[in-house]
Amino acid sequence: MTDAPPAFELLPGAAHSPVILHVPHSSREIPADVRAGIVLGDAALERELDHMTDAHTAELAGRASGRAVLRPWRFVNRTSRLVVDPERFPDEREEMTAVGMGAVYTRTSHRAVLRPADTDPRPLVERYFRPYARAMTEAVADRLAATGRAVIVDVHSYPAEALPYELHGGGPRPAVCLGTDAFHTPPGLLAAARAAFEPCGDTGLDSPFGGAYVPLDFHGKRPEVHALMVEIRRDTYMSEPGGPAGPGLSRLAGALAALVDAVSD
């Protein structure tokens, strides 16, 4: 038995909802034994968390869930992405490894040292990454079994100004960036997202961040698994970096609920 909080949580939705709101980067929690492997002092770590946490996105997903006609399921990471990043590849396929940000980060948002370069990522991958991936795979399989399809909507945010770690930070930074996958993002899902987020400002595709999260068991194999990444520019709903949410959060929750409703039928 342990009193440690869960590393992630699946919050049930309606039995016949195909939608999973996936919130991977909203938490600032770092277990003490993981913190011991991070070289930053406390103040510097808090600043890094300000930059790298998708603040208030769990609240956004929760509000949208409550406003949707058919409540979606929510899969929420309860530990910081500085523990592991569940959306990275854990091997050489991950392009962010080039800036020290594979599944286990060794560099900060400003390319300073976060962990020693010779850190072995395997213990954290086995403890956090693989259980998360299995649970998300099971959640998607459950929606497929219940409804015949699954719609994964990744809920993220990003800073108004590019951070040094960004590999593709030179392009447009719209109010809402929609990340797509050639196999798993059908035109209807993209059109529904554009319409839903129209009240929130300009939308763009795959810039500054692209792609959409699909568990590897389904990726490129199961067309009935749909996926879209929603990246919200932080200055539209909060004070940067790491500050409180503002009135924009309610507008975004309504837009996200509208998207959920549009793809739940």
Side-chain angles (χ1 to χ4, degrees), residues 25-222:
H25 295 157
S26 65
S27 177
R28 297 173 69 98
E29 292 299 315
I30 301 175
D33 60 328
V34 180
R35 169 68 180 95
I38 292 174
V39 303
L40 301 180
D42 289 347
L45 178 56
E46 288 301 309
R47 187 70 171 175
E48 181 64 9
L49 288 167
D50 287 344
H51 287 304
M52 291 301 292
T53 302
D54 292 351
H56 314 296
T57 51
E59 181 183 356
L60 171 60
R63 288 195 193 186
S65 178
R67 293 169 68 168
V69 174
L70 196 65
R71 182 180 290 272
W73 295 64
R74 284 176 287 153
F75 195 103
V76 182
N77 191 4
R78 297 301 188 192
T79 57
S80 169
R81 66 194 296 185
L82 302 187
V83 178
V84 298
D85 190 331
E87 295 206 312
R88 301 285 199 245
F89 289 112
D91 53 34
E92 67 281 350
R93 290 172 292 179
E94 181 51 62
E95 69 170 359
M96 294 302 293
T97 302
V99 289
M101 288 189 168
V104 176
Y105 296 177
T106 58
R107 293 278 170 169
T108 71
S109 57
H110 289 72
R111 304 202 182 195
V113 176
L114 180 75
R115 291 182 174 92
D118 61 356
T119 296
D120 183 356
R122 289 174 295 182
L124 289 175
V125 167
E126 292 302 323
R127 180 177 167 189
Y128 291 101
F129 184 96
R130 297 202 189 282
Y132 189 107
R134 285 194 297 269
M136 187 64 183
T137 299
E138 290 167 3
V140 173
D142 185 65
R143 292 302 85 212
L144 287 171
T147 73
R149 62 194 179 103
V151 183
I152 305 167
V153 178
D154 240 4
V155 184
H156 290 261
S157 70
Y158 74 98
E161 299 293 331
L163 290 169
Y165 84 91
E166 295 182 26
L167 293 178
H168 310 289
R173 302 181 83 82
V176 180
C177 163
L178 302 174
T180 66
D181 180 279
F183 189 86
H184 292 283
T185 309
L189 174 56
L190 192 55
R194 286 189 183 277
F197 286 101
E198 185 175 9
C200 301
D202 58 322
T203 60
L205 291 184
D206 294 311
S207 175
F209 299 99
Y213 177 79
V214 177
L216 290 177
D217 282 9
F218 307 109
H219 190 257
K221 304 170 186 173
R222 298 289 297 271

